[in-house]
Amino acid sequence: MISSPSVASKPSSEPASDLFDQSALSALAQRLVEAARRAGADAADAVAVRGVSQGVEVRDGHVEESERSEGDDVGLRVLVGRRQAVVSTNDVRGDGIAKLAERAVAMARVAPEDKFVGLADPAELAREFPELDLLDPGTPSTAELERRAKEAEAAGLAVKGVTKSGGASASAGIGGMVLVTSTGFHGSYLRSSHGISMTAISGEGTAMERDYDYSSALHACDLASPESVGRKAGERAVARVNPRKVETCKVPVVYDPRVANSLVGHLVGAVNGASIARKTSFLKDRLGQQLFAGNIRIIDDPLRARGLRSQAFDAEGVRVKKLAIIDGGVLTSWLLDCATARELGMTTTGHAHRGVSSAPSPGAYNLHLDAGVASPKELIADIKQGFYVTDLIGSGVNGVTGDYSRGASGFWIENGEITYPVSEVTIAGHLLDMFKSLTPANDLEFRYGVNAPTLRIEGLTLGGR
């Protein structure tokens, strides 16, 4: 049996909690797999997912909402030949395991054949489980969350020009997964989460503007302070007051890091193995081709310590590793799970994700675009007229054709300086052209699941008045 270390075996100096003990879920998943084999499945795997969350929302110094949710769910996938079925339940007591397994096998027997389904090859399974420091053993009280939210709101309201609060919140939670397969894999992980956010409103009447800031981390000590979150939200809202409209033009566009990560997301969506197998990606014939300048690297790193999406194995038990999706500007790999890899005649890249009621499908982990050498100020210094984007609206990106069109707001760039706020414009182009002209600044920070520095892209069409 291949087994990951038990989370329950953390050092005794840390506070004990039933929430950190996944042994009952592990035992249940094991029993489900065994019951499926007895019921006639050729192969099976079971996944158990734990979710615990608590949050507080405040407005004008008063708590508007305080909630807590807690639950465990399990899912069973069975294979009969090349037929597959998935069933799930939240009855984690384990009552009726045999009936659940029998029902799953019966469903699989009448399911359509799929020559690509199957468990991971045992040779691909994870055998080492590095310590990624995903779990903060301290769980904040409701009073502590209330304090964080109120401090963030107060800091935002203290910014000169902020007229109202759009609310502030603080949250914490624990999430994790247990995976057991009939090929002998047994792995589990838990990760904690903490978050603070604040929305500030500036201006009056029909001239009001709003903006926000937030911080999220696995460990509470890595969060930005509530004061800094609130202050930044307030400063951003005030900077947006009295926006102007601009004429339609073709100009360089500079993406603030808060929205620059969306461009990485568009790329990763297009290299998802499911899209490639369905031939619904504009990059389907581009593997091995130069898409970006030679200094561009885009990395997916599931093993980054304290990464928001880190884990030591994927949803099929396959070992994971750091992968340069773009290296030297060249597209090097698709993101594959076992089924899409078989369909494409390739090997899984360890990117399977799944919930309790679905079969595995490909997805990314901790993504980032490497920083460049120029500062953000240097990046815009030679722009006579351009647009600095701080907010994007809508989802007008066609993953099949690569056409890009999104509503946006931000600031006008004139003679290398950020000047007045701009709203109600549309940015349009084609992702292939955008990738080719992309230039990164040197201000990369790891704040989100997808991270990018300030990015400059040449010659986009700005649709104004």
Side-chain angles (χ1 to χ4, degrees):
M1 173 178 287
I2 304 167
S3 180
S4 68
S6 170
V7 173
S9 64
K10 295 183 76 65
S12 58
S13 60
E14 297 182 358
S17 171
D18 290 343
L19 297 177
F20 300 160
D21 184 2
Q22 293 176 292
S23 57
L25 288 180
S26 295
L28 176 58
Q30 184 68 46
R31 287 159 57 202
L32 278 168
V33 170
E34 292 169 354
R37 294 301 304 271
R38 288 194 299 269
D42 296 319
D45 62 14
V47 59
V49 175
R50 169 156 293 169
V52 180
S53 65
Q54 56 180 335
V56 172
E57 295 184 13
V58 303
R59 190 188 298 267
D60 298 327
H62 301 289
V63 176
E64 280 201 331
E65 187 173 353
S66 178
E67 62 180 10
R68 178 183 174 90
S69 63
E70 185 173 325
D72 296 329
D73 298 278
V74 293
L76 174 66
R77 178 171 63 136
V78 302
L79 295 108
V80 178
R82 291 299 183 181
R83 303 173 191 269
Q84 173 178 269
V86 178
V87 296
S88 63
T89 180
N90 57 8
D91 179 12
V92 296
R93 297 169 302 174
D95 297 347
I97 279 181
K99 289 184 178 179
L100 184 70
E102 289 166 2
R103 185 160 67 248
V105 171
M107 291 168 59
R109 284 176 174 149
V110 297
E113 284 198 4
D114 183 344
K115 61 184 178 180
F116 304 117
V117 302
L119 301 189
D121 186 321
E124 297 168 336
L125 297 175
R127 298 175 185 277
E128 297 178 357
F129 303 90
E131 172 53 50
L132 301 177
D133 198 13
L134 305 183
L135 188 62
D136 183 346
T139 53
S141 64
T142 301
E144 170 61 16
L145 294 178
E146 183 179 324
R147 180 193 67 80
R148 294 176 188 176
K150 286 183 175 180
E151 288 185 2
E153 183 181 52
L157 288 170
V159 175
K160 185 179 180 180
V162 171
T163 53
K164 294 184 180 181
S165 167
S169 66
S171 62
I174 295 170
M177 183 180 81
V178 172
L179 175 67
V180 176
T181 75
S182 59
T183 51
F185 180 85
H186 190 153
S188 64
Y189 64 84
L190 276 175
R191 68 164 66 94
S192 49
S193 63
H194 296 265
I196 304 171
S197 68
M198 195 269 165
T199 300
I201 299 171
S202 59
E204 299 285 350
T206 58
M208 288 192 296
E209 297 288 336
R210 74 170 61 219
D211 214 316
Y212 67 93
D213 191 39
Y214 72 95
S215 176
S216 58
L218 300 192
H219 290 248
C221 63
D222 294 333
L223 280 174
S225 70
E227 295 86 354
S228 68
V229 170
R231 183 174 61 254
K232 189 171 289 187
E235 290 170 350
R236 285 173 168 169
V238 171
R240 294 177 64 149
V241 172
N242 298 321
R244 305 183 198 177
K245 293 180 173 60
V246 295
E247 301 289 341
T248 296
C249 54
K250 202 166 188 177
V251 293
V253 173
V254 179
Y255 285 71
D256 182 87
R258 188 170 67 168
V259 291
N261 54 13
S262 66
L263 296 173
V264 179
H266 299 322
L267 169 79
V268 170
V271 302
N272 185 293
S275 297
I276 302 303
R278 291 194 300 264
K279 301 188 185 304
T280 57
S281 168
F282 72 99
L283 295 179
K284 65 183 185 296
D285 300 317
R286 301 279 181 171
L287 189 64
Q289 293 187 16
Q290 189 92 28
L291 301 185
F292 295 80
N295 63 330
I296 302 298
R297 296 180 81 233
I298 297 178
I299 309 296
D300 189 26
D301 186 4
L303 299 174
R304 192 171 79 227
R306 297 196 181 190
L308 292 178
R309 301 176 182 174
S310 295
Q311 57 195 66
F313 57 90
D314 79 351
E316 294 177 294
V318 173
R319 58 181 173 268
V320 297
K321 61 182 179 180
K322 187 175 181 179
L323 173 67
I325 302 168
I326 299 292
D327 196 3
V330 175
L331 175 60
T332 67
S333 178
W334 310 129
L335 302 186
L336 303 171
D337 64 353
C338 288
T340 55
R342 294 184 190 109
E343 187 168 357
L344 295 169
M346 304 176 81
T347 302
T348 177
T349 57
H351 281 88
H353 293 251
R354 67 175 288 194
V356 294
S357 58
S358 61
S361 60
Y365 300 103
N366 301 302
L367 289 158
H368 76 269
L369 189 155
D370 274 357
V373 295
S375 69
K377 187 173 180 62
E378 291 169 334
L379 204 65
I380 68 172
D382 66 340
I383 297 177
K384 293 190 179 301
Q385 288 192 319
F387 183 50
Y388 185 88
V389 189
T390 59
D391 203 17
L392 291 168
I393 307 161
S395 54
V397 179
N398 190 321
V400 179
T401 65
D403 292 320
Y404 180 96
S405 178
R406 298 196 66 180
S409 59
F411 298 87
W412 192 244
I413 301 170
E414 195 163 317
N415 296 322
E417 299 289 339
I418 293 175
T419 56
Y420 52 83
V422 171
S423 65
E424 298 180 16
V425 295
T426 301
I427 306 171
H430 192 280
L431 285 171
L432 282 176
D433 297 329
M434 294 167 69
F435 293 161
K436 287 177 185 175
S437 69
L438 182 148
T439 304
N442 63 359
D443 57 341
L444 175 67
E445 293 182 353
F446 292 96
R447 298 187 59 194
Y448 316 110
V450 182
N451 298 281
T454 301
L455 299 176
R456 172 175 169 171
I457 295 177
E458 309 298 329
L460 292 179
T461 299
L462 200 65
R465 60 190 178 191

